[in-house]
PDB file of all heavy atoms in Angstrom:
ATOM      1  N   CYS A   4      14.663  31.413 -84.556  1.00 30.00           N
ATOM      2  CA  CYS A   4      14.406  30.241 -83.715  1.00 30.00           C
ATOM      3  C   CYS A   4      15.692  29.824 -82.991  1.00 30.00           C
ATOM      4  O   CYS A   4      16.767  29.885 -83.562  1.00 30.00           O
ATOM      5  CB  CYS A   4      13.923  29.097 -84.588  1.00 30.00           C
ATOM      6  SG  CYS A   4      13.614  27.589 -83.693  1.00 30.00           S
ATOM      7  N   ILE A   5      15.541  29.387 -81.742  1.00 30.00           N
ATOM      8  CA  ILE A   5      16.723  28.896 -81.019  1.00 30.00           C
ATOM      9  C   ILE A   5      17.042  27.499 -81.522  1.00 30.00           C
ATOM     10  O   ILE A   5      16.588  26.511 -80.979  1.00 30.00           O
ATOM     11  CB  ILE A   5      16.461  28.832 -79.519  1.00 30.00           C
ATOM     12  CG1 ILE A   5      16.034  30.187 -78.985  1.00 30.00           C
ATOM     13  CG2 ILE A   5      17.699  28.359 -78.771  1.00 30.00           C
ATOM     14  CD1 ILE A   5      15.812  30.215 -77.506  1.00 30.00           C
ATOM     15  N   LYS A   6      17.755  27.417 -82.613  1.00 31.00           N
ATOM     16  CA  LYS A   6      18.103  26.080 -83.074  1.00 31.00           C
ATOM     17  C   LYS A   6      19.608  25.844 -83.033  1.00 31.00           C
ATOM     18  O   LYS A   6      20.069  24.764 -83.281  1.00 31.00           O
ATOM     19  CB  LYS A   6      17.544  25.820 -84.476  1.00 31.00           C
ATOM     20  CG  LYS A   6      17.995  26.772 -85.541  1.00 31.00           C
ATOM     21  CD  LYS A   6      17.270  26.478 -86.850  1.00 31.00           C
ATOM     22  CE  LYS A   6      17.589  27.509 -87.894  1.00 31.00           C
ATOM     23  NZ  LYS A   6      16.858  27.295 -89.135  1.00 31.00           N
ATOM     24  N   ALA A  36      21.717  31.276 -75.067  1.00 81.00           N
ATOM     25  CA  ALA A  36      21.341  31.626 -76.443  1.00 81.00           C
ATOM     26  C   ALA A  36      19.840  31.898 -76.470  1.00 81.00           C
ATOM     27  O   ALA A  36      19.115  31.511 -75.577  1.00 81.00           O
ATOM     28  CB  ALA A  36      21.665  30.459 -77.365  1.00 81.00           C
ATOM     29  N   GLY A  37      19.400  32.579 -77.492  1.00 73.00           N
ATOM     30  CA  GLY A  37      17.960  32.802 -77.613  1.00 73.00           C
ATOM     31  C   GLY A  37      17.649  34.087 -78.330  1.00 73.00           C
ATOM     32  O   GLY A  37      18.552  34.823 -78.741  1.00 73.00           O
ATOM     33  N   ASP A  38      16.362  34.328 -78.472  1.00 72.00           N
ATOM     34  CA  ASP A  38      15.893  35.529 -79.155  1.00 72.00           C
ATOM     35  C   ASP A  38      15.732  36.613 -78.091  1.00 72.00           C
ATOM     36  O   ASP A  38      14.622  36.923 -77.659  1.00 72.00           O
ATOM     37  CB  ASP A  38      14.568  35.210 -79.833  1.00 72.00           C
ATOM     38  CG  ASP A  38      14.195  36.279 -80.837  1.00 72.00           C
ATOM     39  OD1 ASP A  38      15.065  37.088 -81.196  1.00 72.00           O
ATOM     40  OD2 ASP A  38      13.022  36.301 -81.240  1.00 72.00           O
ATOM     41  N   ASN A  86      18.479  32.481 -66.907  1.00 95.00           N
ATOM     42  CA  ASN A  86      17.622  31.321 -66.685  1.00 95.00           C
ATOM     43  C   ASN A  86      18.391  30.237 -65.924  1.00 95.00           C
ATOM     44  O   ASN A  86      18.728  29.181 -66.463  1.00 95.00           O
ATOM     45  CB  ASN A  86      17.140  30.801 -68.047  1.00 95.00           C
ATOM     46  CG  ASN A  86      16.317  29.530 -67.944  1.00 95.00           C
ATOM     47  OD1 ASN A  86      15.822  29.191 -66.880  1.00 95.00           O
ATOM     48  ND2 ASN A  86      16.175  28.830 -69.061  1.00 95.00           N
ATOM     49  N   VAL A  92      13.249  29.740 -65.665  1.00 95.00           N
ATOM     50  CA  VAL A  92      11.906  29.634 -66.225  1.00 95.00           C
ATOM     51  C   VAL A  92      11.151  28.517 -65.504  1.00 95.00           C
ATOM     52  O   VAL A  92      11.751  27.713 -64.782  1.00 95.00           O
ATOM     53  CB  VAL A  92      11.944  29.377 -67.754  1.00 95.00           C
ATOM     54  CG1 VAL A  92      12.522  30.565 -68.488  1.00 95.00           C
ATOM     55  CG2 VAL A  92      12.711  28.103 -68.083  1.00 95.00           C
ATOM     56  N   PHE A 174       3.305  31.855 -72.260  1.00 88.00           N
ATOM     57  CA  PHE A 174       3.356  30.493 -72.813  1.00 88.00           C
ATOM     58  C   PHE A 174       1.978  29.835 -72.792  1.00 88.00           C
ATOM     59  O   PHE A 174       1.525  29.258 -73.789  1.00 88.00           O
ATOM     60  CB  PHE A 174       4.358  29.666 -71.993  1.00 88.00           C
ATOM     61  CG  PHE A 174       4.471  28.236 -72.414  1.00 88.00           C
ATOM     62  CD1 PHE A 174       5.332  27.860 -73.428  1.00 88.00           C
ATOM     63  CD2 PHE A 174       3.719  27.251 -71.790  1.00 88.00           C
ATOM     64  CE1 PHE A 174       5.450  26.539 -73.826  1.00 88.00           C
ATOM     65  CE2 PHE A 174       3.821  25.919 -72.175  1.00 88.00           C
ATOM     66  CZ  PHE A 174       4.690  25.567 -73.192  1.00 88.00           C
ATOM     67  N   VAL A 177      -0.476  31.517 -75.151  1.00 84.00           N
ATOM     68  CA  VAL A 177      -0.163  31.155 -76.538  1.00 84.00           C
ATOM     69  C   VAL A 177      -0.672  29.745 -76.835  1.00 84.00           C
ATOM     70  O   VAL A 177      -1.239  29.487 -77.903  1.00 84.00           O
ATOM     71  CB  VAL A 177       1.362  31.241 -76.806  1.00 84.00           C
ATOM     72  CG1 VAL A 177       1.729  30.581 -78.125  1.00 84.00           C
ATOM     73  CG2 VAL A 177       1.805  32.688 -76.804  1.00 84.00           C
ATOM     74  N   THR A 194       3.831  20.282 -78.995  1.00 44.00           N
ATOM     75  CA  THR A 194       3.676  21.280 -77.942  1.00 44.00           C
ATOM     76  C   THR A 194       4.872  22.217 -77.911  1.00 44.00           C
ATOM     77  O   THR A 194       6.013  21.754 -77.889  1.00 44.00           O
ATOM     78  CB  THR A 194       3.566  20.584 -76.565  1.00 44.00           C
ATOM     79  OG1 THR A 194       2.563  19.590 -76.659  1.00 44.00           O
ATOM     80  CG2 THR A 194       3.244  21.569 -75.470  1.00 44.00           C
ATOM     81  N   PRO A 195       4.650  23.513 -77.894  1.00 43.00           N
ATOM     82  CA  PRO A 195       5.795  24.417 -77.851  1.00 43.00           C
ATOM     83  C   PRO A 195       6.498  24.357 -76.507  1.00 43.00           C
ATOM     84  O   PRO A 195       5.865  24.316 -75.472  1.00 43.00           O
ATOM     85  CB  PRO A 195       5.171  25.795 -78.051  1.00 43.00           C
ATOM     86  CG  PRO A 195       3.750  25.651 -77.656  1.00 43.00           C
ATOM     87  CD  PRO A 195       3.369  24.223 -77.930  1.00 43.00           C
ATOM     88  N   THR A 196       7.790  24.300 -76.530  1.00 43.00           N
ATOM     89  CA  THR A 196       8.526  24.281 -75.266  1.00 43.00           C
ATOM     90  C   THR A 196       9.334  25.561 -75.073  1.00 43.00           C
ATOM     91  O   THR A 196       9.817  25.814 -73.989  1.00 43.00           O
ATOM     92  CB  THR A 196       9.517  23.108 -75.209  1.00 43.00           C
ATOM     93  OG1 THR A 196      10.353  23.182 -76.355  1.00 43.00           O
ATOM     94  CG2 THR A 196       8.809  21.783 -75.163  1.00 43.00           C
ATOM     95  N   GLU A 197       9.490  26.344 -76.127  1.00 41.00           N
ATOM     96  CA  GLU A 197      10.254  27.573 -75.969  1.00 41.00           C
ATOM     97  C   GLU A 197       9.470  28.728 -76.573  1.00 41.00           C
ATOM     98  O   GLU A 197       9.127  28.698 -77.746  1.00 41.00           O
ATOM     99  CB  GLU A 197      11.608  27.456 -76.661  1.00 41.00           C
ATOM    100  CG  GLU A 197      12.436  26.363 -76.024  1.00 41.00           C
ATOM    101  CD  GLU A 197      13.902  26.693 -76.018  1.00 41.00           C
ATOM    102  OE1 GLU A 197      14.289  27.731 -75.453  1.00 41.00           O
ATOM    103  OE2 GLU A 197      14.662  25.909 -76.585  1.00 41.00           O
ATOM    104  N   VAL A 198       9.176  29.681 -75.793  1.00 41.00           N
ATOM    105  CA  VAL A 198       8.412  30.826 -76.238  1.00 41.00           C
ATOM    106  C   VAL A 198       9.317  32.042 -76.177  1.00 41.00           C
ATOM    107  O   VAL A 198       9.949  32.309 -75.162  1.00 41.00           O
ATOM    108  CB  VAL A 198       7.181  31.038 -75.316  1.00 41.00           C
ATOM    109  CG1 VAL A 198       6.431  32.281 -75.740  1.00 41.00           C
ATOM    110  CG2 VAL A 198       6.288  29.811 -75.364  1.00 41.00           C
ATOM    111  N   LYS A 199       9.403  32.751 -77.286  1.00 49.00           N
ATOM    112  CA  LYS A 199      10.284  33.920 -77.322  1.00 49.00           C
ATOM    113  C   LYS A 199       9.593  35.077 -76.623  1.00 49.00           C
ATOM    114  O   LYS A 199       8.690  35.699 -77.157  1.00 49.00           O
ATOM    115  CB  LYS A 199      10.600  34.312 -78.757  1.00 49.00           C
ATOM    116  CG  LYS A 199      11.165  33.173 -79.571  1.00 49.00           C
ATOM    117  CD  LYS A 199      12.469  32.687 -78.995  1.00 49.00           C
ATOM    118  CE  LYS A 199      12.827  31.341 -79.568  1.00 49.00           C
ATOM    119  NZ  LYS A 199      11.933  30.250 -79.139  1.00 49.00           N
ATOM    120  N   ASN A 200       9.981  35.331 -75.408  1.00 42.00           N
ATOM    121  CA  ASN A 200       9.457  36.475 -74.680  1.00 42.00           C
ATOM    122  C   ASN A 200      10.501  36.930 -73.675  1.00 42.00           C
ATOM    123  O   ASN A 200      11.517  36.242 -73.469  1.00 42.00           O
ATOM    124  CB  ASN A 200       8.117  36.144 -74.023  1.00 42.00           C
ATOM    125  CG  ASN A 200       8.244  34.985 -73.051  1.00 42.00           C
ATOM    126  OD1 ASN A 200       9.207  34.911 -72.302  1.00 42.00           O
ATOM    127  ND2 ASN A 200       7.291  34.078 -73.083  1.00 42.00           N
ATOM    128  N   ASP A 203      12.377  34.370 -71.157  1.00 55.00           N
ATOM    129  CA  ASP A 203      13.057  33.135 -71.567  1.00 55.00           C
ATOM    130  C   ASP A 203      14.476  33.474 -72.019  1.00 55.00           C
ATOM    131  O   ASP A 203      14.736  33.712 -73.193  1.00 55.00           O
ATOM    132  CB  ASP A 203      12.257  32.507 -72.711  1.00 55.00           C
ATOM    133  CG  ASP A 203      12.542  31.017 -72.836  1.00 55.00           C
ATOM    134  OD1 ASP A 203      13.218  30.470 -71.942  1.00 55.00           O
ATOM    135  OD2 ASP A 203      12.090  30.423 -73.813  1.00 55.00           O
ATOM    136  N   VAL A 204      15.374  33.486 -71.055  1.00 60.00           N
ATOM    137  CA  VAL A 204      16.655  34.152 -71.298  1.00 60.00           C
ATOM    138  C   VAL A 204      17.881  33.250 -71.319  1.00 60.00           C
ATOM    139  O   VAL A 204      18.995  33.737 -71.323  1.00 60.00           O
ATOM    140  CB  VAL A 204      16.877  35.272 -70.252  1.00 60.00           C
ATOM    141  CG1 VAL A 204      15.938  36.433 -70.526  1.00 60.00           C
ATOM    142  CG2 VAL A 204      16.678  34.738 -68.845  1.00 60.00           C
ATOM    143  N   GLY A 205      17.693  31.970 -71.345  1.00 80.00           N
ATOM    144  CA  GLY A 205      18.838  31.072 -71.605  1.00 80.00           C
ATOM    145  C   GLY A 205      19.654  30.608 -70.415  1.00 80.00           C
ATOM    146  O   GLY A 205      19.774  31.240 -69.370  1.00 80.00           O
ATOM    147  N   GLY A 226      16.017  25.263 -67.485  1.00 94.00           N
ATOM    148  CA  GLY A 226      15.383  24.467 -68.550  1.00 94.00           C
ATOM    149  C   GLY A 226      14.632  25.329 -69.545  1.00 94.00           C
ATOM    150  O   GLY A 226      15.050  26.445 -69.845  1.00 94.00           O
ATOM    151  N   THR A 227      13.535  24.794 -70.065  1.00 92.00           N
ATOM    152  CA  THR A 227      12.759  25.534 -71.060  1.00 92.00           C
ATOM    153  C   THR A 227      11.435  25.973 -70.446  1.00 92.00           C
ATOM    154  O   THR A 227      10.831  25.251 -69.650  1.00 92.00           O
ATOM    155  CB  THR A 227      12.484  24.683 -72.312  1.00 92.00           C
ATOM    156  OG1 THR A 227      11.848  23.471 -71.917  1.00 92.00           O
ATOM    157  CG2 THR A 227      13.780  24.354 -73.044  1.00 92.00           C
ATOM    158  N   ASN A 228      11.003  27.159 -70.850  1.00 92.00           N
ATOM    159  CA  ASN A 228       9.764  27.739 -70.344  1.00 92.00           C
ATOM    160  C   ASN A 228       8.577  26.834 -70.674  1.00 92.00           C
ATOM    161  O   ASN A 228       8.412  26.420 -71.816  1.00 92.00           O
ATOM    162  CB  ASN A 228       9.581  29.114 -71.005  1.00 92.00           C
ATOM    163  CG  ASN A 228       8.400  29.863 -70.454  1.00 92.00           C
ATOM    164  OD1 ASN A 228       8.052  29.740 -69.279  1.00 92.00           O
ATOM    165  ND2 ASN A 228       7.762  30.668 -71.303  1.00 92.00           N
ATOM    166  N   GLY A 229       7.750  26.536 -69.659  1.00 94.00           N
ATOM    167  CA  GLY A 229       6.576  25.708 -69.894  1.00 94.00           C
ATOM    168  C   GLY A 229       6.893  24.237 -70.108  1.00 94.00           C
ATOM    169  O   GLY A 229       6.035  23.490 -70.580  1.00 94.00           O
ATOM    170  N   LYS A 230       8.080  23.820 -69.715  1.00 95.00           N
ATOM    171  CA  LYS A 230       8.456  22.393 -69.862  1.00 95.00           C
ATOM    172  C   LYS A 230       7.546  21.520 -69.009  1.00 95.00           C
ATOM    173  O   LYS A 230       6.981  21.966 -68.009  1.00 95.00           O
ATOM    174  CB  LYS A 230       9.912  22.205 -69.439  1.00 95.00           C
ATOM    175  CG  LYS A 230      10.172  22.454 -67.948  1.00 95.00           C
ATOM    176  CD  LYS A 230      11.649  22.405 -67.599  1.00 95.00           C
ATOM    177  CE  LYS A 230      11.837  22.700 -66.098  1.00 95.00           C
ATOM    178  NZ  LYS A 230      13.260  22.669 -65.724  1.00 95.00           N
ATOM    179  N   ARG A 234      11.025  17.041 -66.613  1.00 98.00           N
ATOM    180  CA  ARG A 234      11.873  17.030 -67.817  1.00 98.00           C
ATOM    181  C   ARG A 234      13.330  17.288 -67.440  1.00 98.00           C
ATOM    182  O   ARG A 234      13.657  18.266 -66.772  1.00 98.00           O
ATOM    183  CB  ARG A 234      11.381  18.093 -68.803  1.00 98.00           C
ATOM    184  CG  ARG A 234      12.215  18.207 -70.080  1.00 98.00           C
ATOM    185  CD  ARG A 234      13.094  19.418 -70.048  1.00 98.00           C
ATOM    186  NE  ARG A 234      13.748  19.660 -71.350  1.00 98.00           N
ATOM    187  CZ  ARG A 234      14.629  20.619 -71.563  1.00 98.00           C
ATOM    188  NH1 ARG A 234      14.953  21.439 -70.583  1.00 98.00           N
ATOM    189  NH2 ARG A 234      15.192  20.777 -72.738  1.00 98.00           N
ATOM    190  N   GLY A 258      21.198  26.445 -75.845  1.00 88.00           N
ATOM    191  CA  GLY A 258      20.404  26.505 -77.066  1.00 88.00           C
ATOM    192  C   GLY A 258      19.177  25.644 -76.893  1.00 88.00           C
ATOM    193  O   GLY A 258      18.640  25.541 -75.778  1.00 88.00           O
ATOM    194  N   HIS A 259      18.727  24.998 -77.936  1.00 88.00           N
ATOM    195  CA  HIS A 259      17.543  24.140 -77.832  1.00 88.00           C
ATOM    196  C   HIS A 259      17.966  22.797 -77.252  1.00 88.00           C
ATOM    197  O   HIS A 259      18.455  21.904 -77.936  1.00 88.00           O
ATOM    198  CB  HIS A 259      16.901  23.957 -79.210  1.00 88.00           C
ATOM    199  CG  HIS A 259      15.557  23.282 -79.121  1.00 88.00           C
ATOM    200  ND1 HIS A 259      15.417  21.920 -79.014  1.00 88.00           N
ATOM    201  CD2 HIS A 259      14.308  23.794 -79.063  1.00 88.00           C
ATOM    202  CE1 HIS A 259      14.125  21.619 -78.914  1.00 88.00           C
ATOM    203  NE2 HIS A 259      13.438  22.734 -78.944  1.00 88.00           N
ATOM    204  N   GLY A 260      17.735  22.658 -75.944  1.00 91.00           N
ATOM    205  CA  GLY A 260      18.278  21.534 -75.193  1.00 91.00           C
ATOM    206  C   GLY A 260      17.909  20.176 -75.727  1.00 91.00           C
ATOM    207  O   GLY A 260      18.741  19.261 -75.759  1.00 91.00           O
ATOM    208  N   ASP A 261      16.655  20.007 -76.129  1.00 93.00           N
ATOM    209  CA  ASP A 261      16.210  18.688 -76.571  1.00 93.00           C
ATOM    210  C   ASP A 261      16.809  18.320 -77.926  1.00 93.00           C
ATOM    211  O   ASP A 261      16.788  17.156 -78.317  1.00 93.00           O
ATOM    212  CB  ASP A 261      14.682  18.622 -76.587  1.00 93.00           C
ATOM    213  CG  ASP A 261      14.108  18.693 -75.176  1.00 93.00           C
ATOM    214  OD1 ASP A 261      14.510  17.864 -74.344  1.00 93.00           O
ATOM    215  OD2 ASP A 261      13.301  19.592 -74.900  1.00 93.00           O
ATOM    216  N   THR A 262      17.341  19.307 -78.633  1.00 93.00           N
ATOM    217  CA  THR A 262      18.097  19.019 -79.863  1.00 93.00           C
ATOM    218  C   THR A 262      19.560  18.736 -79.525  1.00 93.00           C
ATOM    219  O   THR A 262      20.156  17.774 -80.031  1.00 93.00           O
ATOM    220  CB  THR A 262      17.997  20.218 -80.840  1.00 93.00           C
ATOM    221  OG1 THR A 262      16.619  20.432 -81.158  1.00 93.00           O
ATOM    222  CG2 THR A 262      18.768  19.956 -82.120  1.00 93.00           C
ATOM    223  N   TRP A 304       9.387  24.317 -85.538  1.00 35.00           N
ATOM    224  CA  TRP A 304       9.342  25.256 -84.423  1.00 35.00           C
ATOM    225  C   TRP A 304       9.354  26.682 -84.920  1.00 35.00           C
ATOM    226  O   TRP A 304       8.721  27.564 -84.354  1.00 35.00           O
ATOM    227  CB  TRP A 304      10.525  25.031 -83.489  1.00 35.00           C
ATOM    228  CG  TRP A 304      10.343  23.822 -82.676  1.00 35.00           C
ATOM    229  CD1 TRP A 304      10.960  22.622 -82.841  1.00 35.00           C
ATOM    230  CD2 TRP A 304       9.429  23.646 -81.597  1.00 35.00           C
ATOM    231  NE1 TRP A 304      10.505  21.717 -81.934  1.00 35.00           N
ATOM    232  CE2 TRP A 304       9.558  22.318 -81.154  1.00 35.00           C
ATOM    233  CE3 TRP A 304       8.532  24.475 -80.955  1.00 35.00           C
ATOM    234  CZ2 TRP A 304       8.825  21.816 -80.104  1.00 35.00           C
ATOM    235  CZ3 TRP A 304       7.789  23.976 -79.907  1.00 35.00           C
ATOM    236  CH2 TRP A 304       7.940  22.661 -79.495  1.00 35.00           C
ATOM    237  N   LEU A 307       6.088  27.991 -85.728  1.00 39.00           N
ATOM    238  CA  LEU A 307       5.350  28.283 -84.510  1.00 39.00           C
ATOM    239  C   LEU A 307       5.837  29.548 -83.834  1.00 39.00           C
ATOM    240  O   LEU A 307       5.049  30.390 -83.410  1.00 39.00           O
ATOM    241  CB  LEU A 307       5.498  27.106 -83.541  1.00 39.00           C
ATOM    242  CG  LEU A 307       4.970  27.347 -82.128  1.00 39.00           C
ATOM    243  CD1 LEU A 307       3.457  27.524 -82.160  1.00 39.00           C
ATOM    244  CD2 LEU A 307       5.337  26.192 -81.226  1.00 39.00           C
ATOM    245  N   THR A 308       7.152  29.672 -83.738  1.00 40.00           N
ATOM    246  CA  THR A 308       7.670  30.780 -82.952  1.00 40.00           C
ATOM    247  C   THR A 308       7.369  32.133 -83.580  1.00 40.00           C
ATOM    248  O   THR A 308       7.296  33.134 -82.879  1.00 40.00           O
ATOM    249  CB  THR A 308       9.193  30.635 -82.729  1.00 40.00           C
ATOM    250  OG1 THR A 308       9.826  30.437 -83.979  1.00 40.00           O
ATOM    251  CG2 THR A 308       9.490  29.501 -81.783  1.00 40.00           C
ATOM    252  N   VAL A 311       4.166  32.880 -82.150  1.00 40.00           N
ATOM    253  CA  VAL A 311       4.320  33.138 -80.729  1.00 40.00           C
ATOM    254  C   VAL A 311       4.885  34.532 -80.485  1.00 40.00           C
ATOM    255  O   VAL A 311       4.434  35.264 -79.615  1.00 40.00           O
ATOM    256  CB  VAL A 311       5.222  32.054 -80.090  1.00 40.00           C
ATOM    257  CG1 VAL A 311       5.584  32.436 -78.681  1.00 40.00           C
ATOM    258  CG2 VAL A 311       4.518  30.717 -80.124  1.00 40.00           C
TER     259      VAL A 311
ATOM    260  N   HIS B 137      10.339  16.449 -75.419  1.00 96.00           N
ATOM    261  CA  HIS B 137      11.546  16.334 -74.600  1.00 96.00           C
ATOM    262  C   HIS B 137      12.265  15.006 -74.853  1.00 96.00           C
ATOM    263  O   HIS B 137      11.729  14.110 -75.501  1.00 96.00           O
ATOM    264  CB  HIS B 137      11.189  16.465 -73.114  1.00 96.00           C
ATOM    265  CG  HIS B 137      10.474  17.746 -72.784  1.00 96.00           C
ATOM    266  ND1 HIS B 137      10.883  18.969 -73.265  1.00 96.00           N
ATOM    267  CD2 HIS B 137       9.363  17.998 -72.040  1.00 96.00           C
ATOM    268  CE1 HIS B 137      10.068  19.921 -72.815  1.00 96.00           C
ATOM    269  NE2 HIS B 137       9.138  19.363 -72.078  1.00 96.00           N
TER     270      HIS B 137
END
Side-chain angles (χ1 to χ4, degrees):
Chain A
C4 178
I5 303 182
K6 58 185 174 183
D38 194 15
N86 176 18
V92 294
F174 178 86
V177 167
T194 309
T196 54
E197 297 214 58
V198 177
K199 306 298 165 292
N200 59 42
D203 202 9
V204 289
T227 55
N228 186 32
K230 66 186 179 180
R234 178 256 189 184
H259 190 278
D261 292 305
T262 300
W304 285 105
L307 171 66
T308 52
V311 170
Chain B
H137 303 315

